[in-house]
Amino acid sequence: MKFISFLITLILISILNNFVLSSGTTVGEVTLIVNLNNNNNYPVNGSCGSSIQSTCNNINDAINYFNTIAVNVNTSSTQIIYQQLNLLLDDGTYSIGSTGTINLYQFNITISPLNSGSNKVIINNNNNNNNNNNNSPMFLVKPFNGTVDSIIQNSYILITGIQFLNFKQSIIKVSTNYSFTEIKFESCIINQYNSNNSIIEINLFFEGSLQIPNSHLKINNSQISNIQTDNNTPLIYAINTIVDFYQTPITNVTGIHSIISTSYGEYLNVGLSDFTNVNSLYGIFEVLNTHVSIGDGNFNNIKAANGASFLTFTTSVTQVYSAGIARCNFNGYSGTDGGVFHATNTLTTLETISSSISDCTFSSGSSNSGGAIYSNNIPISIVNCEFGNNSASLSGGYIYISGNSLSLVNVSITKAPLTTTTTTTTNTIVGDGIGDYALYALNSTVNIKNGTFDGKLDSIFCNGSTINADQYTTLQTVYCSQCNVDVSNRQVCNVGGDSTSTSTLGTGTGTGGGISISSSGGGGASQTLTITSTSSTPHTSALSSSSSSGSVHTTVSTITTTGFTSQSNQFSPSFSILIFISLLLILSV
């Protein structure tokens, strides 16, 4: 019986050991301290950093020493997990050094100040002889000696509380195909970056065919300012990477491709971050085939030379990706197609997954088409939003929709700047007259509920589309060309209708008559109708119509305006130990 109990005990120990290791728990963490002032003597790759007295003289020495002692602590599977390295930097100004790039492939490393909360750990590249065209990053994640990586070789990098100043090269580059890399920047400052390279570059030359992202970039509670690259270089370039960007303001950016350019990354999540004075080629965010969620931000004085100043969102597949924007304020912006938001599906197949914009304000912006929003074959839902002082030189002074659907709920569009904005700029609409209309709809379906279009604006230019506006929507002028337009369930223009007919639509019981519709013009498929509301209760008013073509217009009222968490649960090693002890007690009885 004792032999059986002993045998069971050995089996339990083996199971527990394998569970602890396979759960990713690190064993035997290594902590190394770096101090620039001690000038300690030790051989090349020699022991250093184990105490305040025997510190390493620079970051490279600490990494080189760790490489001589690092061991794989995961003996239960083929996955390689090296023990945690905590690299503590004493206060001082560090340089990249002459020993070149540091490869952190398969590292599990945290780089942070020795003194908790210190803001005096600075890595300054100002004295480095590298010029703007140097392609050597400070840190690299890449398989050694040209070997091919695999899914069992992972890297985990946390950089916290560090200031990066005057960089002319990338802070970190990742070049992998299959291994997983997680990079976190927490409470860092990046200032005075001037380079032809991205400050963070992940999988730029990715050649695999993974179905899921192989990297995860997290930037939180940091600051980025005074940035300049050439127009071909995004500040952050990530392919096949999930990107989380929170509580990190960005100010004073010029001559840049975009702030974040990402493709095939599954998710881009941005929250609680303000962007000010950003002059880019393709906007702050340039996204291809990636879900987008952006919320709770202020965007002031942002410009794009090609695309939208805020988000250029492109998909080359259907029924997969969408963009969501919520609780954001945009003030002073310009782009080419879409002053703030540009969405395009490059396929001819109809996209059915809707992107959404809610609880946002848009003031003082311009574009060629879509002064604030441009969408081509991507359905858009806009809820609880205010627009003011937008313009377009070609079409859609505020919104342009083509080849899909648009839903407007509790949306207000006015000619004047919004009172909550600080800009004093007044935009002047120029062009052939189509740009005068707040909304341009081409081969689309538009549904409007409780919408308000300013009386000083032409409301809708309808081209080959269907417009449905409820009884609570205020419109001024709608131009119809081959369109079906219903206002409060009353058809006011239709494709193929008699262009010279006169009709009365519905009856009204409200005092004072109702909505009088009159139009004039020659025959043909297009007409302009002017709607004047004389009833305080438009939902009970009559529509009197005299029609010769097919176009309608309305005005608006008021609106109200109002990230992402994930959790995972697993049994902890301590819980397993408790079970193990309980079993031993049972066996000993």
Side-chain angles (χ1 to χ4, degrees), residues 499-513:
S499 62
T500 60
S501 65
T502 301
S503 62
T504 300
L505 303 178
T507 60
T509 59
T511 302

Side-chain angles (χ1 to χ4, degrees), residues 205-418:
F205 302 106
F206 177 73
E207 297 177 352
S209 57
L210 295 181
Q211 299 300 311
I212 58 175
N214 72 334
S215 299
H216 195 169
L217 172 64
K218 302 178 181 180
I219 300 177
N220 185 55
N221 195 33
S222 298
Q223 300 176 35
I224 301 175
S225 59
N226 301 313
I227 305 297
Q228 183 172 359
T229 69
D230 66 22
N231 284 333
N232 294 319
T233 306
L235 183 65
I236 298 170
Y237 203 167
I239 297 176
N240 208 51
T241 301
I242 296 174
V243 179
D244 291 328
F245 191 96
Y246 290 103
Q247 295 181 303
T248 299
I250 293 184
T251 58
N252 300 329
V253 179
T254 59
I256 195 169
H257 179 281
S258 56
I259 299 294
I260 298 177
S261 179
T262 182
S263 57
Y264 304 97
E266 194 67 22
Y267 292 102
L268 167 64
N269 301 308
V270 181
L272 299 168
S273 300
D274 296 341
F275 295 75
T276 305
N277 299 331
V278 178
N279 193 338
S280 66
L281 185 62
Y282 288 100
I284 293 174
F285 307 107
E286 183 194 27
V287 179
L288 171 65
N289 292 342
T290 300
H291 288 291
V292 177
S293 176
I294 303 174
D296 303 291
N298 297 296
F299 301 82
N300 298 300
N301 191 25
I302 56 176
K303 300 177 181 179
N306 188 3
S309 63
F310 167 67
L311 171 61
T312 298
F313 174 74
T314 305
T315 63
S316 60
V317 295
T318 57
Q319 283 64 260
V320 180
Y321 301 107
S322 65
I325 305 165
R327 301 173 304 279
C328 291
N329 301 303
F330 303 92
N331 180 38
Y333 45 85
S334 64
T336 52
D337 291 329
V340 170
F341 177 51
H342 175 104
T344 296
N345 187 297
T346 59
L347 301 180
T348 57
T349 306
L350 187 68
E351 175 62 86
T352 59
I353 295 182
S354 178
S355 292
S356 64
I357 302 171
S358 62
D359 305 309
C360 295
T361 62
F362 302 81
S363 184
S364 301
S366 63
S367 177
N368 294 337
S369 296
I373 295 168
Y374 177 102
S375 177
N376 179 29
N377 191 22
I378 290 183
I380 301 289
S381 171
I382 304 175
V383 180
N384 295 340
C385 291
E386 291 182 281
F387 296 80
N389 189 35
N390 279 236
S391 67
S393 60
L394 297 179
S395 53
Y398 290 71
I399 301 169
Y400 177 102
I401 179 73
S402 173
N404 215 295
S405 64
L406 171 67
S407 173
L408 301 177
V409 179
N410 298 334
V411 170
S412 171
I413 296 178
T414 63
K415 187 175 181 64
L418 300 180

Side-chain angles (χ1 to χ4, degrees), residues 335-556:
T336 52
D337 291 329
V340 170
F341 177 51
H342 175 104
T344 296
N345 187 297
T346 59
L347 301 180
T348 57
T349 306
L350 187 68
E351 175 62 86
T352 59
I353 295 182
S354 178
S355 292
S356 64
I357 302 171
S358 62
D359 305 309
C360 295
T361 62
F362 302 81
S363 184
S364 301
S366 63
S367 177
N368 294 337
S369 296
I373 295 168
Y374 177 102
S375 177
N376 179 29
N377 191 22
I378 290 183
I380 301 289
S381 171
I382 304 175
V383 180
N384 295 340
C385 291
E386 291 182 281
F387 296 80
N389 189 35
N390 279 236
S391 67
S393 60
L394 297 179
S395 53
Y398 290 71
I399 301 169
Y400 177 102
I401 179 73
S402 173
N404 215 295
S405 64
L406 171 67
S407 173
L408 301 177
V409 179
N410 298 334
V411 170
S412 171
I413 296 178
T414 63
K415 187 175 181 64
L418 300 180
T419 57
T420 56
T421 65
T422 58
T423 184
T424 57
T425 302
T426 301
N427 289 311
T428 300
I429 300 176
V430 296
D432 58 5
I434 298 178
D436 292 348
Y437 289 82
L439 167 62
Y440 181 87
L442 174 64
N443 301 327
S444 299
T445 298
V446 179
N447 294 299
I448 307 172
K449 294 182 179 180
N450 194 27
T452 302
F453 289 72
D454 190 335
K456 298 179 181 179
L457 289 169
D458 292 330
S459 300
I460 301 173
F461 191 103
C462 178
N463 189 351
S465 299
T466 297
I467 310 291
N468 298 297
D470 72 355
Q471 66 269 35
Y472 303 107
T473 294
T474 306
L475 296 173
Q476 298 303 320
T477 303
V478 174
Y479 182 92
C480 290
S481 177
Q482 295 294 311
C483 288
N484 290 310
V485 177
D486 284 2
V487 177
S488 187
N489 295 320
R490 296 166 174 84
Q491 190 172 71
V492 295
C493 64
N494 65 290
V495 175
D498 186 352
S499 62
T500 60
S501 65
T502 301
S503 62
T504 300
L505 303 178
T507 60
T509 59
T511 302
I515 299 178
S516 173
I517 304 175
S518 62
S519 70
S520 61
S526 65
Q527 73 180 48
T528 301
L529 305 180
T530 301
I531 303 176
T532 304
S533 175
T534 59
S535 171
S536 60
T537 56
H539 56 288
T540 60
S541 62
L543 290 177
S544 175
S545 175
S546 174
S547 163
S548 63
S549 282
S551 105
V552 179
H553 209 153
T554 51
T555 50
V556 148

